[in-house]
Amino acid sequence: MKRRNDIRNVAIIAHVDHGKTTLVDSLIKFSGQFRESQLQQECILDSNDQERERGITILAKNIALTYGDTKINIIDTPGHADFGGEVERVLRMADGALVLVDSFEGPRPQTRFVLQKALEVGLQPLVVVNKIDRPDARPLDVLNETFDLFVELGADDATLDFPYVFASGRSGYASHDPATRSGDIRPLLDLIIERIPGPEVDEEAPLQYMVTSLTYSEFVGRIATGRISCGKIKTGQTISLMKADGSIKNEKVVALEVFDKLGRTPVQEATAGDIVAITGLSKPEIGDTVADPAFPKAMPRISVDEPTISMVFTINSSPFAGAKEGGGKYLTTRHLRDRLDRELESNVALRVTEASDKEAFNVSGRGVLHLSVLIEQMRREGYELSVGKPQVIRKRIDGKIYEPFEILVVDVPQNEVGPVMEIVGNRRGEVTNMTTNSTGMSHLEFSIPARGLIGIRTRMLNATRGEAIIHHQFDCYKPIEGDVPRRANGVLVSQERGKVVAFALGKLQERSELFVAPGDEVYEGMIVGENSRDTDMVVNPIREKKLTNMRASGSDENIILKPPRRLSLEAALEYIEDDEYVEVTPSIIRLRKIRLTETERKQHSRGSVTE
């Protein structure tokens, strides 16, 4: 075995919003290898539409920079807990990790998660205390907190002697002095070359390469990305593809590419330590091993943490399914199955099983955001579907039922601590830590059942006037707790199909909050508002004023309507109850009852009582 000094494979890991993608921007701009047109936008690697709109990284991405005589392969990873599967699968490609920590916030739940995964696979950490130009920065304290986190995670003495640097990704400089406010990013690149080792390789050993990422091209099919652990790969070479079930298929490498700048460059040969993309394999899957046909030996498959949240995906059965204006192109169960199967190829943290109803699927993921990103992507691709209420996935251990618990971290002004404690306490949360810093912000940590988190974000932001900063991370499974309060209010359900009339809404808004506006199309069973009481109420939102040929002074009145409450996809998923669906189409998101007619709902409720 020998080490390659001409290459460094580095993953960038951190909590959400600690500046990973912005730091990559600085590295890209400093390298001087890119055209001006490629550097126009911020967060250059966040190329996905949803990533730009949400301001978060969803998919891990690879780029390559040259610094001196060394090629640096950089893997940018998501910071949100729901996309932890993306982090887990790509860490196998790296030899070191840049651990970014915000100079004010310090280590957060996702910092703990990704650092633990990095230490498990033996990566060399390099701590970057980022955003040191914040007015409230406390870089030295944060560095000490990061050291304490390493100790908690059981790091050995060699790992505890980790290198570190202070930086501002947005301003584009790094320094060993936390008081520095100028310069360039060179000190960080020097530290990467000096302290992160090159890959340890054996070029003469039989070929071994694990597929850790998949992309799809309409022209060449699936493109498998991974790192060569041993041996060499050549274009046109015959290889053995080793599957999860133990089967071995001989395939031919049609094209071989290495990462270069923001894209890929074709090569004839790649050796151990290189991160390469292979084209021509018929049906590669994440975790498959590409091996030498003469010595086929599989590598240990990628294992990721189990999903904690499940939702029902089914066809859109509403009267407006496939509507001419704004309707979808893909409406059937077959379309839905094919799309979910395609998602499973690249989304390692996702699980899909067929429900008892043949037209429905149970889709499981890491959280509501993880699944809502998939739903939003499907909506933009032209799919119509109905989605049920998120449910936690429980386990039976030693005859007892266990449920997932999460660590909930809330930062909030001191005067807003009361409402936060009340909301979390009502949802079976327990305080595990509580501190207050010099700026008057309180830092609260809770242990809370995962089902208690469903809908908590909207409620907490409303209670704290938008000042709460909320993060959560899976912790463990514990014995099931008591009931968690459901939605406090019932809903208004339309009993007719047609266009909403202002006259009808004028009467309804006195006792409710409306989700529709005059002119909106509604149908029987569609939810049009929130009732002021805790029961559902059937209403007629299309009722018009009766016209007569008698006119009297003062009989006409101006109807002043409050603006309707429009729910985003995540808010809608958190709002619904067990007997309701979110109807998702390319143009609109609606709420509806699963059983559209009042007669069906009454019959079902009587049957439930009888049982």
Side-chain angles (χ1 to χ4, degrees):
M1 302 287 287
K2 65 176 184 179
R3 287 205 179 272
R4 289 184 60 179
N5 290 319
D6 62 334
I7 194 170
R8 298 291 188 275
N9 297 320
V10 184
I12 300 185
I13 58 177
H15 187 76
V16 64
D17 283 339
H18 279 200
K20 297 178 297 302
T21 308
T22 307
L23 183 69
V24 174
D25 285 358
S26 293
L27 295 173
I28 289 173
K29 292 172 182 176
F30 176 78
S31 69
Q33 300 171 18
F34 299 86
R35 298 187 306 272
E36 190 65 30
S37 60
Q38 294 177 292
L39 308 177
Q40 295 299 318
Q41 59 197 33
E42 292 185 353
C43 297
I44 296 166
L45 291 193
D46 285 348
S47 53
N48 182 299
D49 287 342
Q50 286 201 66
E51 290 179 325
R52 295 211 160 279
E53 292 168 16
R54 296 172 183 265
I56 60 174
T57 301
I58 296 173
L59 301 172
K61 302 175 190 69
N62 299 62
I63 64 165
L65 306 174
T66 301
Y67 182 63
D69 297 327
T70 307
K71 178 181 179 181
I72 304 176
N73 285 312
I74 298 175
I75 309 164
D76 185 26
T77 65
H80 201 286
D82 284 24
F83 308 111
E86 286 285 309
V87 181
E88 292 175 74
R89 69 176 173 81
V90 299
L91 288 180
R92 294 278 193 98
M93 293 194 287
D95 298 293
L98 299 189
V99 184
L100 258 71
V101 188
D102 187 288
S103 64
F104 170 70
E105 294 186 356
R108 289 304 173 99
Q110 185 68 357
T111 313
R112 172 185 292 271
F113 171 79
V114 294
L115 179 57
Q116 183 176 5
K117 296 298 179 183
L119 295 178
E120 285 175 2
V121 296
L123 301 189
Q124 169 63 48
L126 191 166
V127 173
V128 181
V129 181
N130 196 26
K131 303 185 183 181
I132 59 170
D133 51 351
R134 288 183 59 156
D136 50 4
R138 46 187 193 91
L140 295 178
D141 291 339
V142 165
L143 185 62
N144 291 333
E145 292 170 11
T146 307
F147 180 86
D148 293 341
L149 177 60
F150 274 80
V151 173
E152 287 179 36
L153 295 177
D156 57 29
D157 290 344
T159 306
L160 288 175
D161 188 26
F162 55 81
Y164 59 88
V165 69
F166 304 95
S168 170
R170 184 173 296 279
S171 300
Y173 60 81
S175 172
H176 297 287
D177 179 5
T180 300
R181 293 295 180 269
S182 62
D184 56 32
I185 208 73
R186 196 187 308 270
L188 173 57
L189 290 166
D190 290 337
L191 207 55
I192 290 174
I193 302 298
E194 178 187 344
R195 298 298 298 269
I196 291 183
E200 194 174 34
V201 300
D202 185 352
E203 295 181 5
E204 305 305 321
L207 170 64
Q208 276 191 319
Y209 163 100
M210 174 170 283
V211 179
T212 53
S213 180
L214 285 175
T215 53
Y216 181 80
S217 165
E218 294 181 2
F219 305 103
V220 297
R222 298 187 198 181
I223 302 171
T225 300
R227 173 177 147 178
I228 305 173
S229 298
C230 304
K232 302 176 182 179
I233 299 181
K234 296 181 180 180
T235 301
Q237 176 181 342
T238 299
I239 54 88
S240 290
L241 185 65
M242 311 186 72
K243 311 291 288 183
D245 58 4
S247 63
I248 301 176
K249 296 181 179 179
N250 285 341
E251 308 264 1
K252 186 175 181 180
V253 177
V254 174
L256 192 65
E257 297 175 308
V258 297
F259 287 87
D260 181 36
K261 303 181 180 65
L262 297 177
R264 298 190 296 262
T265 301
V267 293
Q268 289 300 310
E269 181 181 276
T271 60
D274 286 328
I275 296 176
V276 299
I278 299 177
T279 303
L281 308 183
S282 57
K283 284 189 176 180
E285 296 175 350
I286 290 175
D288 288 353
T289 299
V290 171
D292 188 330
F295 303 96
K297 183 179 179 182
M299 300 174 68
R301 292 188 74 85
I302 296 172
S303 61
V304 298
D305 290 347
E306 292 294 314
T308 57
I309 293 288
S310 175
M311 294 183 197
V312 172
F313 284 35
T314 186
I315 59 171
N316 182 13
S317 57
S318 84
F320 293 166
K324 290 183 180 179
E325 294 183 7
K329 297 182 292 183
Y330 308 110
L331 310 171
T332 66
T333 307
R334 179 177 61 83
H335 287 140
L336 197 56
R337 180 186 289 108
D338 291 347
R339 179 62 181 83
L340 292 174
D341 286 345
R342 195 162 73 247
E343 186 67 22
L344 284 172
E345 294 175 1
S346 57
N347 198 334
V348 292
L350 199 71
R351 303 285 185 274
V352 178
T353 58
E354 290 203 15
S356 54
D357 181 353
K358 293 183 180 179
E359 295 182 339
F361 302 89
N362 290 320
V363 182
S364 306
R366 288 284 182 87
V368 174
L369 181 61
H370 181 204
L371 295 178
S372 69
V373 165
L374 169 60
I375 297 168
E376 177 65 22
Q377 186 60 39
M378 292 173 65
R379 183 176 81 84
R380 296 181 183 202
E381 292 171 5
Y383 288 82
E384 283 195 20
L385 66 155
S386 295
V387 186
K389 179 180 174 64
Q391 306 285 351
V392 299
I393 300 173
R394 296 170 178 171
K395 285 186 176 180
R396 185 176 290 275
I397 304 174
D398 298 330
K400 294 182 179 179
I401 298 178
Y402 284 64
E403 66 176 336
F405 271 67
E406 305 224 359
I407 299 170
L408 173 65
V409 177
V410 183
D411 289 283
V412 69
Q414 264 186 292
N415 59 329
E416 302 288 357
V417 168
V420 171
M421 299 285 281
E422 181 181 358
I423 291 170
V424 179
N426 287 340
R427 291 168 173 260
R428 302 281 174 178
E430 296 181 358
V431 180
T432 57
N433 187 24
M434 181 175 177
T435 57
T436 303
N437 60 30
S438 57
T439 63
M441 292 287 284
S442 291
H443 177 79
L444 310 174
E445 294 183 14
F446 302 90
S447 175
I448 185 171
R451 59 196 164 98
L453 290 174
I454 298 174
I456 199 172
R457 181 178 296 273
T458 303
R459 191 178 295 273
M460 195 175 292
L461 289 175
N462 289 340
T464 61
R465 296 185 288 279
E467 295 195 74
I469 302 171
I470 308 159
H471 299 293
H472 60 87
Q473 172 67 50
F474 173 75
D475 183 21
C476 62
Y477 278 86
K478 295 182 183 178
I480 194 166
E481 293 276 352
D483 291 336
V484 169
R486 294 180 173 270
R487 187 178 63 208
N489 298 79
V491 291
L492 304 185
V493 185
S494 174
Q495 67 180 18
E496 298 286 349
R497 175 175 176 173
K499 284 191 175 181
V500 174
V501 177
F503 174 76
L505 296 188
K507 302 296 182 184
L508 293 176
Q509 73 174 357
E510 298 172 2
R511 61 175 79 97
S512 65
E513 184 177 10
L514 299 171
F515 299 157
V516 293
D520 289 351
E521 294 272 359
V522 298
Y523 56 83
E524 183 179 9
M526 179 175 159
I527 296 172
V528 297
E530 181 179 276
N531 195 5
S532 58
R533 300 184 180 182
D534 60 358
T535 55
D536 295 345
M537 183 167 63
V538 178
V539 299
N540 183 2
I542 68 170
R543 183 167 67 93
E544 297 180 343
K545 183 177 182 180
K546 291 182 179 179
L547 301 178
T548 70
N549 59 358
M550 301 295 291
R551 182 178 294 272
S553 175
S555 61
D556 289 331
E557 56 183 280
N558 289 327
I559 299 173
I560 301 175
L561 295 176
K562 294 181 288 188
R565 177 174 158 196
R566 301 293 190 185
L567 296 177
S568 65
L569 178 58
E570 284 86 8
L573 292 171
E574 294 182 343
Y575 182 82
I576 58 173
E577 286 297 342
D578 294 333
D579 63 337
E580 297 163 2
Y581 278 153
V582 177
E583 177 189 346
V584 182
T585 74
S587 61
I588 195 168
I589 294 170
R590 304 183 184 96
L591 305 185
R592 52 162 285 191
K593 290 290 185 180
I594 294 177
R595 293 164 186 84
L596 295 179
T597 67
E598 188 177 7
T599 304
E600 287 177 330
R601 294 194 292 273
K602 286 182 177 178
Q603 287 176 346
H604 179 74
S605 63
R606 283 200 296 268
S608 300
V609 171
T610 303
E611 292 172 7

